[in-house]
């Protein structure tokens, strides 16, 4: 969207579809900025929308789990699924299986 401000300035409003990634440039062909040097604003979890907050909380949990040498949420989900499968199929021998 755009609008004219003070009858002399065109104001463009651009909305990102993928709000998780940084734009390297606004206009194609411009010199790319180093997104590694950008310091994002600190925000409180309560300021985030539900979907973003959930994703950030999951990432924080997984980071703490990895640091403690524990399984991430995805690893735990896979283990739970496998455990359930093994319980449903006691006739199968998983004793020689190597996981991971």
């Amino acid at each position: 969207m755009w609008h004219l401000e003070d009858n002399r300035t065109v104001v463009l409003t651009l909305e990102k579809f993928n709000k998780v990634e940084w734009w390297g440039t606004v206009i194609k062909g411009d010199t790319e900025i180093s997104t590694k040097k950008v310091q994002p604003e600190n925000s409180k979890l309560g300021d985030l929308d539900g979907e973003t907050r959930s994703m950030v909380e999951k990432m924080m949990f997984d980071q703490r789990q990895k640091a403690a040498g524990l399984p991430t949420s995805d690893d735990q989900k896979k283990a739970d699924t496998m455990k359930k499968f093994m319980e449903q199929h006691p006739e199968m021998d998983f004793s020689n299986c190597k996981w991971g």
Side-chain angles (χ1 to χ4, degrees):
M1 297 194 73
W2 67 274
H3 69 272
L4 194 57
E5 190 173 278
D6 300 328
N7 282 331
R8 60 189 189 105
T9 305
V10 175
V11 177
L12 294 174
T13 304
L14 305 173
E15 183 176 344
K16 293 170 53 179
F17 288 103
N18 183 347
K19 295 178 178 13
V20 178
E21 294 180 10
W22 289 87
W23 285 347
T25 64
V26 174
I27 299 172
K28 195 172 191 173
D30 275 357
T31 305
E32 285 200 30
I33 61 169
S34 175
T35 55
K36 293 179 180 167
K37 293 181 181 178
V38 174
Q39 293 294 322
E41 291 180 25
N42 288 331
S43 60
K44 297 177 184 168
L45 284 176
D47 295 340
L48 303 173
D49 64 82
E51 183 180 343
T52 304
R53 180 179 177 161
S54 176
M55 181 177 58
V56 170
E57 287 174 339
K58 180 182 183 295
M59 290 168 60
M60 291 169 61
F61 173 81
D62 288 343
Q63 188 175 33
R64 285 191 304 270
Q65 291 291 98
K66 278 186 178 181
L70 299 170
T72 64
S73 55
D74 290 337
D75 293 338
Q76 189 60 52
K77 187 175 180 181
K78 290 175 191 173
D80 292 345
T81 301
M82 193 61 194
K83 181 180 176 186
K84 184 177 177 182
F85 178 81
M86 290 169 66
E87 288 171 353
Q88 292 173 343
H89 299 280
E91 74 281 1
M92 297 179 79
D93 179 16
F94 294 94
S95 61
N96 292 322
C97 291
K98 294 182 181 178
W99 308 106

